[in-house]
Amino acid sequence: MSGSPVVFVVDDDASFRRGITRLLRSAGHTVVPFASAAEFLQSHDPELPGCLVLDLAMPGVGGLELQEALSARGSERPIIFLTGRGDVSSSVRAMKRGAVDFLTKPVTESVLLDAVAGALRRDAEARAMRAARAEFRRRWDTLTPREREVLRHVVAGRLNKQIAGELGTVERTVKLHRSHLMAKLGVGSVAELVHLVDQAGGIPAG
Amino acid sequence: MARLAFAALVCGGAGSAGCEIAMMRAETLPEFTAALRWIHLPVLVLVAGSVMFLRLYFGVGRLWLIVAAIGTRLVAVIVNFATPTGVSYRSVTGIHQIEWLGQTVTVAEGLPNPWAWVARASSLLVVAFAVDVGVTFWRRADPTDRRRAWSVAGSIAFFGLAAVAHSALVQLGVIESPYLISLFFLVPVGAMGAELTNDVVRAADLSRRLRESEAQAGLAAEAANLGTWVWDIAADRVWLSDRTRELFRFPAPVEPTLGQMLEHIHPDDRDEVRRAVDQALTGENDLRVEYRIPNSANTVLWVLSRGRRDGDKDGTPVRMRGVSVDVTELRRAEIDARSRLNELAHLSRVALASELSGSLAHELNQPLGAILSNAQAMRRLLARPDADPAALRAILDDIIADDRHAAEVLQRVRSLIRRSEPLAETLQVGDVVRDALRLVRAELGDQGIALETTLEADLSPVQGDPTQLRQVVLNLVVNAVDAMAATPPGSRVLQVTAGRGDAGSVEVRVTDRGPGIRPDLLDRIFDQFVTTKERGLGMGLTISRTIVEAHGGRIRAWNGAERGATVAFVLPASGKGQA
């Protein structure tokens, strides 16, 4: 599902849209333009990596409305807003709702390309994060309840002896569980284990 | 001439009376017969006079009767003086005195003369003529005039008959009485005297009323500062009242020709005045024309002239009479008012431009942004070895187009802000609406307002100033946008239509989905300083109405059935009903 990232451009002004698209393509990006938010939503695939360059003022569904709609669908695609007028209240709203950047037209290539690069990086990071989490979750599901318990204690920093005492078993059993769960999770050390759990956002409940 | 005939008539009557008195007092036969002979002269004058008078006074009557009456009378007179005893008697045998009406008068007896019948015939012809005249006039005249017919003609007829009958009876010896035709003559004299007196009295009365009405008219004209004039078309001379003379700057009392009057009019207006006069002479309408008269002090007087033609029986124009009035003050006030409207419209436009400045800036940033991105893209592409010239050319085309677009937006803004004299162009309302909408596109986008436009094709062209009409459309659209500020985003719809109205006129409607106009404000919404907005003066709709009405149109507002309001204005097609 992942491939090279796409820059989605949504702007109702045809000539401006063409100009931006050309500029981005000339810098090597893959660009898919849309003339309206509705068109974009129709064919939106949240699995496609990439970011969104979005005009703020559009008839019908405007930029801010589209931002809300995407967030309602659970999409975390980074959005860069473009606007012909620097309206403070709109920019604050946009940023509070998670926009990556808020640029004014006319926009120079360095500003735009930097913003897009940043957005794509954020998107890549977020995806990596999500993938890691998903992977962890998958592996977590392969752990036995005992192994999960041991994991909790290990991540809490307890020694094998203490864990054995907590669980009412012997140290050797604890060591066995430890090596099993480390193998299942694909980590080689406690440090790596802690790091993995951290990245995954913590130990899942249950 | 009628009076001359009447004088002859009366003289003849007097002469006859004189002879009759002489006869009555004659003491000898020769005295009697002399008088009897001479009487025929005054009788001739009497006959000729009565016949001519009837003819001249009434204007009708058969000529042959006149000739016959006078002719036979002439024959009788000739016979009268040619024969020794006259035409009345062949011979007078004797005279004697009788008692008559308490007086002693002389009467004669003798043998009647057959030639006397010629004389009698003449008298009867006079009678016949009088009857002819009377009847003909009676038939032709209106009822008020008919009295004259029987009083004058009838009395002459009666006199003739009575005279003939009586003198015949005396001559034939049937009755004993002096000749009395002059007595009978009193009847027509009385009748004619009464008629003449009547005429004189009536003439005096009419002349008094005429003088009064002239005085009234003069007073009225003076009060209104009107100059009056009468143009005698055939003679091409114009009578001018003092005021008119003043207006036209004629130094001395004079009756100029139409051409001379035109020379006092401003050269640029002469053709129009000439045309208006021609139209008033030949067409249905009265004269109504405005023109300038140059003043000595390097200024002009504005004059309005109105006139009406009088025709004769056949309808040929004989005279034109009219008034002229100095309307310089009015004209100046009009020009003042118009320039003030201009100023106000300009200020309002500037206010509108400033209200829209945000979205106008946006409107400019679109093409500018596109140009920048395109140019920068092009630079990158040129840095590659595989640059495609066709693609590059496409980019340049876009840049050029965007530049033009930006220039147009600037041009429209400039025309909004510029203060200029109103133009009178022939324009298409659809284009005006489209231009106005382009200026607010960004505003609509910002507010998330969906725009629905329906501009009918083949609308009649309209005469007017495009800047001012655009201003009206802008004003209505901005009002609609403001009205929908609180409407939920999904239902913000603005409808703008341009379509055909009655009689080829063009109607523009702007409809919003806002809360509508408050019912208590609905009929005042175009008045000054009425506004529901927090900002602004409340002058926008007032100025819009003034502009629309100055273009000969009407503007009105109403609420939609469920929600929202519509403001619509109608403009007449070019060539009809321009203000």
Side-chain angles (χ1 to χ4, degrees):
Chain A
M1 267 307 181
S2 57
S4 57
V6 173
V7 179
F8 299 98
V9 171
V10 180
D11 192 327
D12 64 309
D13 184 300
S15 73
F16 187 80
R17 188 175 65 241
R18 269 205 300 278
I20 288 283
T21 305
R22 277 195 192 112
L23 179 55
L24 291 168
R25 282 189 184 141
S26 75
H29 289 293
T30 310
V31 183
V32 178
F34 292 94
S36 72
E39 278 177 40
F40 170 74
L41 282 173
Q42 257 185 351
S43 61
H44 178 230
D45 180 7
E47 294 302 309
L48 272 175
C51 66
L52 178 54
V53 174
L54 183 51
D55 181 28
L56 186 65
M58 290 188 290
V61 180
L64 291 172
E65 282 82 44
L66 179 52
Q67 183 186 36
E68 278 179 44
L70 282 176
S71 138
R73 287 188 193 188
S75 160
E76 293 173 10
R77 191 179 296 289
I79 298 179
I80 298 170
F81 275 102
L82 273 178
T83 180
R85 52 157 116 186
D87 178 13
V88 173
S89 61
S90 302
S91 70
V92 167
R93 254 176 77 191
M95 298 306 283
K96 275 190 173 171
R97 305 257 174 95
V100 165
D101 221 330
F102 197 93
L103 308 174
T104 51
K105 303 176 185 178
V107 60
T108 54
E109 59 183 328
S110 53
V111 169
L112 179 66
L113 293 173
D114 281 350
V116 166
L120 289 179
R121 205 172 34 243
R122 287 248 304 241
D123 184 61
E125 281 171 11
R127 273 172 208 284
M129 191 76 137
R130 273 200 298 280
R133 215 174 284 157
E135 179 65 16
F136 178 77
R137 186 71 212 214
R138 196 183 57 78
R139 294 194 189 208
W140 169 269
D141 289 338
T142 66
L143 295 178
T144 68
R146 232 15 181 179
E147 285 163 352
R148 289 181 194 169
E149 278 198 67
V150 169
L151 172 61
R152 279 199 199 95
H153 289 293
V154 168
V155 162
R158 304 234 165 77
L159 297 170
N160 289 347
K161 196 175 10 193
Q162 289 168 313
I163 298 172
E166 287 282 328
L167 295 181
T169 180
V170 296
E171 228 180 295
R172 201 173 47 125
T173 318
V174 170
K175 274 200 199 156
L176 198 59
H177 284 315
R178 237 169 103 145
S179 70
H180 279 170
L181 72 90
M182 299 263 246
K184 281 185 185 175
L185 291 179
V187 292
S189 68
V190 175
E192 274 181 52
L193 177 65
V194 170
H195 185 66
L196 181 70
V197 167
D198 237 356
Q199 276 228 312
I203 297 175
Chain B
M1 281 306 288
R3 275 182 239 144
L4 193 60
F6 184 69
L9 184 90
V10 170
C11 287
S16 322
C19 292
E20 282 177 356
I21 290 177
M23 279 193 269
M24 282 192 248
R25 289 156 56 103
E27 288 168 10
T28 66
L29 190 60
E31 277 173 28
F32 189 88
T33 47
L36 183 59
R37 236 174 151 184
W38 284 107
I39 201 175
H40 286 280
L41 271 180
V43 167
L44 169 65
V45 173
L46 179 59
V47 162
S50 20
V51 157
M52 290 315 293
F53 175 73
L54 280 171
R55 169 72 199 190
L56 292 167
Y57 185 70
F58 286 105
V60 295
R62 282 166 243 254
L63 271 176
W64 67 263
L65 276 173
I66 299 179
V67 171
I70 298 182
T72 43
R73 183 53 67 173
L74 269 176
V75 168
V77 165
I78 291 172
V79 167
N80 182 48
F81 285 103
T83 61
T85 46
V87 71
S88 308
Y89 288 104
R90 198 156 37 173
S91 64
V92 182
T93 46
I95 56 171
H96 62 270
Q97 312 259 328
I98 59 168
E99 282 294 315
W100 189 78
L101 293 183
Q103 294 282 337
T104 311
V105 295
T106 309
V107 293
E109 58 271 324
L111 295 173
N113 192 338
W115 283 100
W117 285 104
V118 175
R120 286 182 202 122
S122 155
S123 307
L124 288 172
L125 284 166
V126 172
V127 170
F129 183 66
V131 168
D132 173 42
V133 166
V135 167
T136 314
F137 186 78
W138 195 86
R139 274 209 207 110
R140 288 195 203 166
D142 21 78
T144 48
D145 253 356
R146 278 180 185 165
R147 195 200 58 220
R148 284 201 280 163
W150 61 258
S151 72
V152 173
S155 59
I156 291 184
F158 163 77
F159 163 62
L161 278 173
V164 166
H166 182 261
S167 61
L169 288 173
V170 166
Q171 282 164 11
L172 295 173
V174 173
I175 56 170
E176 266 207 326
S177 124
Y179 286 102
L180 290 176
I181 62 173
S182 42
L183 200 63
F184 298 118
F185 185 58
L186 286 176
V187 173
V189 162
M192 285 186 285
E195 280 304 321
L196 281 174
T197 314
N198 225 348
D199 283 348
V200 166
V201 167
R202 227 180 17 171
D205 185 48
L206 279 174
S207 133
R208 180 182 52 82
R209 277 198 268 160
L210 183 63
R211 262 201 312 277
E212 265 178 26
S213 93
E214 266 180 21
Q216 285 273 61
L219 209 62
E222 250 181 70
N225 216 6
L226 293 175
T228 52
W229 47 267
V230 182
W231 177 35
D232 181 338
I233 297 176
D236 193 15
R237 295 225 85 82
V238 187
W239 170 84
L240 306 170
S241 75
D242 287 337
R243 178 79 187 119
T244 317
R245 212 164 34 79
E246 262 176 55
L247 279 176
F248 273 83
R249 320 196 59 72
F250 279 107
V254 65
E255 287 200 0
T257 64
L258 180 65
Q260 285 168 335
M261 291 195 71
L262 282 175
E263 269 164 44
H264 282 241
I265 293 179
H266 193 286
D268 292 344
D269 295 339
R270 281 180 203 160
D271 279 337
E272 200 192 329
V273 174
R274 231 181 255 119
R275 239 178 305 137
V277 169
D278 286 338
Q279 273 183 6
L281 279 181
T282 55
E284 291 269 310
N285 300 325
D286 293 339
L287 173 71
R288 189 193 196 285
V289 63
E290 242 182 82
Y291 48 88
R292 289 163 290 179
I293 295 179
N295 220 333
S296 58
N298 234 356
T299 51
V300 288
L301 277 182
W302 278 96
V303 174
L304 168 65
S305 284
R306 303 196 68 149
R308 182 174 295 183
R309 68 168 191 270
D310 287 340
D312 62 4
K313 290 187 295 211
D314 309 318
T316 331
V318 158
R319 211 175 5 244
M320 188 179 287
R321 56 179 91 243
V323 296
S324 297
V325 63
D326 180 347
V327 290
T328 313
E329 281 307 307
L330 269 171
R331 264 285 166 150
R332 236 175 247 140
E334 217 185 282
I335 291 175
D336 251 354
R338 212 172 288 160
S339 89
R340 225 159 271 158
L341 164 64
N342 243 16
E343 267 183 55
L344 211 49
H346 174 233
L347 285 173
S348 159
R349 273 204 302 281
V350 171
L352 208 53
S354 96
E355 258 184 69
L356 293 173
S357 61
S359 60
L360 286 173
H362 184 188
E363 193 67 20
L364 274 177
N365 281 333
Q366 299 281 77
L368 286 179
I371 290 172
L372 180 59
S373 300
N374 274 317
Q376 292 184 320
M378 191 164 172
R379 194 169 49 181
R380 281 183 170 261
L381 290 175
L382 278 171
R384 296 212 206 130
D386 60 345
D388 173 15
L392 294 175
R393 205 170 293 125
I395 297 177
L396 278 176
D397 287 341
D398 270 357
I399 289 178
I400 293 170
D402 284 323
D403 179 80
R404 213 169 276 146
H405 178 190
E408 273 173 29
V409 173
L410 273 176
Q411 173 60 18
R412 260 177 245 122
V413 173
R414 211 182 298 132
S415 83
L416 254 194
I417 299 181
R418 190 180 47 202
R419 184 196 195 302
S420 61
E421 286 305 304
L423 304 166
E425 293 179 358
T426 309
L427 40 86
Q428 278 293 335
V429 173
D431 293 339
V432 168
V433 172
R434 243 178 255 123
D435 279 348
L437 288 176
R438 269 192 216 116
L439 281 169
V440 284
R441 216 171 47 146
E443 185 80 17
L444 296 178
D446 266 6
Q447 305 277 343
I449 294 175
L451 175 64
E452 290 173 17
T453 45
T454 314
L455 305 174
E456 268 182 49
D458 296 332
L459 291 172
S460 319
V462 156
Q463 209 55 23
D465 178 44
T467 304
Q468 288 191 349
L469 290 177
R470 258 202 302 271
Q471 180 178 358
V472 173
V473 175
L474 269 177
N475 185 231
L476 300 188
V477 167
V478 164
N479 283 351
V481 167
D482 286 345
M484 289 195 279
T487 313
S491 39
R492 288 186 196 158
V493 181
L494 174 67
Q495 286 168 311
V496 179
T497 66
R500 236 177 298 274
D502 300 329
S505 62
V506 178
E507 189 187 39
V508 173
R509 287 193 191 186
V510 174
T511 307
D512 66 71
R513 296 256 184 94
I517 303 171
R518 264 172 46 196
D520 60 322
L521 285 183
L522 199 47
D523 51 353
R524 293 200 301 130
I525 195 118
F526 292 103
D527 291 345
Q528 294 178 358
F529 309 127
V530 170
T531 181
T532 52
K533 302 196 241 185
E534 278 146 25
R535 55 189 177 139
L537 290 168
M539 289 295 286
L541 279 178
T542 309
I543 294 178
S544 298
R545 177 173 66 178
T546 314
I547 292 175
V548 167
E549 287 180 358
H551 281 76
R554 309 211 68 75
I555 189 170
R556 60 204 171 110
W558 66 90
N559 284 325
E562 287 182 6
R563 57 178 313 157
T566 303
V567 182
F569 64 91
V570 178
L571 294 173
S574 177
K576 294 185 192 163
Q578 289 300 299

